[in-house]
Amino acid sequence: MRLIISSLLLIAGCSIALADIQDPPAKKYNDHRKFSRGIANIAYGSVEIPDSMVKTNDSEGNSAAFSLGVFSGTRRTLERLGVGIFEVVTCPFAINRGTYKPYFKSPTRGNHGTFTEFPPELGFDSSLRYSRN
């Protein structure tokens, strides 16, 4: 009887130990996310122009915002458009080193040359749950 109980406890313990592998860290990135990321980059990639203008205005001034900001924003918009079309076309295939992760590198703090996974948002941040005074 002791052998049966200990065997059942051992089997139950092994099944719990395998539970972690059922939700791997790469599960966040799948073909649906890749497709939606591509659609977002195609539809909202043009937001890079005013975003680049604002960031250039903060660092370089007004004159640079209307020249350098517009050109860098246009370049970033075209890059997002190209990657967006590529991700929509290749969404069923995991071709980025065998995963569906984004092709843009993760942005570092204060570096405007890197891209985020999705296009930037303009305006106020409405996801905050408190009121500002």
Side-chain angles (χ1 to χ4, degrees), residues 7-51:
S7 297
L8 289 174
L9 287 174
L10 182 66
I11 291 171
C14 289
S15 66
I16 292 171
L18 293 175
D20 185 38
I21 205 157
Q22 303 302 321
D23 191 23
K27 184 181 175 188
K28 174 182 175 184
Y29 299 104
N30 55 19
D31 55 345
H32 301 294
R33 186 175 181 96
K34 184 177 180 181
F35 181 75
S36 65
R37 189 172 55 231
I39 293 295
N41 282 329
I42 291 169
Y44 301 112
S46 61
V47 173
E48 288 285 354
I49 295 172
D51 186 59

Side-chain angles (χ1 to χ4, degrees), residues 44-53 73 76-77 80 112 115 119-120:
Y44 301 112
S46 61
V47 173
E48 288 285 354
I49 295 172
D51 186 59
S52 292
M53 289 176 66
R76 291 173 65 89
T77 297
R80 278 206 185 269
H112 183 58
F115 289 87

